[in-house]
Amino acid sequence: DQQVKQNSPSLSVQEGRISILNCDYTNSMFDYFLWYKKYPAEGPTFLISISSIKDKNEDGRFTVFLNKSAKHLSLHIVPSQPGDSAVYFCAAKPLGYNQGGKLIFGQGTELSVKP
Amino acid sequence: DSGVTQTPKHLITATGQRVTLRCSPRSGDLSVYWYQQSLDQGLQFLIQYYNGEERAKGNILERFSAQQFPDLHSELNLSSLELGDSALYFCASSPVAGASGNTIYFGEGSWLTVV
């Protein structure tokens, strides 16, 4: 069974500091890992992704790290801003033609950035 | 605004009833996805259609069915509703069948409450 888990339901960080959101997966048959951000009353929006053959991908204040041996990925936000307060979902795209564009999501972590 | 339109936004219905959720994808997108988000759960993939054909299937209940019409809009039919079906149902779309994740756009969701 392919599973993606976010074990921390919430995280509170001071503005300007680093936010680190974590995600674990239990199956190696994924070709992409992604982070989505969700504000209340809106659908999830794509934030950043990383290929399974990479270790790191950076986009502005956002960096995703992939540790394949530990089956772990993390999202770093530096510096954190109050506008980053949202629910962050980790997702993984399974390999295989019959998987289409299917994504497997974690349960989400609610990030609160305090001014 | 992601360009994905879902109706209705909110729906309250009784157990045993049947409802239909509607989704219009972004202009030009051929794939439509349906996800279910229950309380305290991540988004669970239900099904994907590509250009009218079923492309990938998740753990969609037999009481649920979906289809994609020639104009590419999609409907998710939920029948014999149970209290546990209460959830937020997201539709998403992408241009191709095997989207890499960064080209999948989500609608704002349809809130279904079964009483």
Side-chain angles (χ1 to χ4, degrees), chain A residues 15-105:
Chain A
E15 180 179 5
R17 305 295 291 269
I18 185 171
S19 295
I20 300 177
L21 296 100
N22 294 302
C23 178
D24 297 297
Y25 59 97
T26 59
N27 185 302
S28 298
M29 301 300 287
F30 298 119
D31 59 354
Y32 274 94
F33 297 90
L34 310 97
W35 286 93
Y36 278 77
K37 179 178 179 180
K38 183 181 179 306
Y39 292 115
E42 295 183 10
T45 56
F46 171 77
L47 188 59
I48 190 170
S49 65
I50 186 168
S51 166
S52 61
I53 63 173
K54 304 282 189 183
D55 298 321
K56 175 182 174 181
N57 186 29
E58 192 171 354
D59 183 3
R61 297 186 297 114
F62 303 92
T63 303
V64 56
F65 295 92
L66 177 61
N67 182 334
K68 289 179 279 294
S69 61
K71 293 187 172 58
H72 177 84
L73 68 156
S74 60
L75 174 68
H76 292 210
I77 306 174
V78 183
S80 302
Q81 300 173 354
D84 296 329
S85 297
V87 177
Y88 289 78
F89 289 98
C90 168
K93 183 178 177 301
L95 280 165
Y97 174 81
N98 64 345
Q99 301 291 342
K102 169 184 177 179
L103 296 176
I104 298 175
F105 283 85

Side-chain angles (χ1 to χ4, degrees), chain B residues 14-110:
Chain B
T15 54
Q17 296 298 304
R18 172 190 168 96
V19 298
T20 297
L21 308 180
R22 194 179 192 278
C23 172
S24 293
R26 292 190 326 146
S27 177
D29 283 359
L30 298 179
S31 271
V32 170
Y33 309 79
W34 287 99
Y35 284 83
Q36 178 194 55
Q37 184 182 15
S38 303
L39 201 63
D40 297 330
Q41 294 290 317
L43 288 83
Q44 302 291 318
F45 172 75
L46 296 179
I47 199 162
Q48 176 195 359
Y49 278 82
Y50 174 71
N51 205 19
E53 299 290 326
E54 184 181 303
R55 184 67 178 78
K57 201 168 184 177
N59 294 325
I60 186 168
L61 298 173
E62 285 191 9
R63 299 184 287 108
F64 296 0
S65 65
Q67 60 185 123
Q68 186 179 28
F69 295 87
D71 66 353
L72 302 177
H73 91 273
S74 177
E75 293 181 356
L76 178 67
N77 300 296
L78 314 174
S79 61
S80 302
L81 285 167
E82 302 174 359
L83 296 177
D85 296 328
S86 296
L88 184 54
Y89 291 85
F90 284 106
C91 173
S93 74
S94 67
V96 297
S100 62
N102 60 339
T103 55
I104 297 177
Y105 294 86
F106 283 81
E108 294 181 352
S110 291

Side-chain angles (χ1 to χ4, degrees), chain A residues 11-17 80-83 85 111-115:
Chain A
L11 174 68
S12 184
V13 171
Q14 206 65 31
E15 180 179 5
R17 305 295 291 269
S80 302
Q81 300 173 354
S85 297
L111 173 65
S112 176
V113 181
K114 306 292 186 185

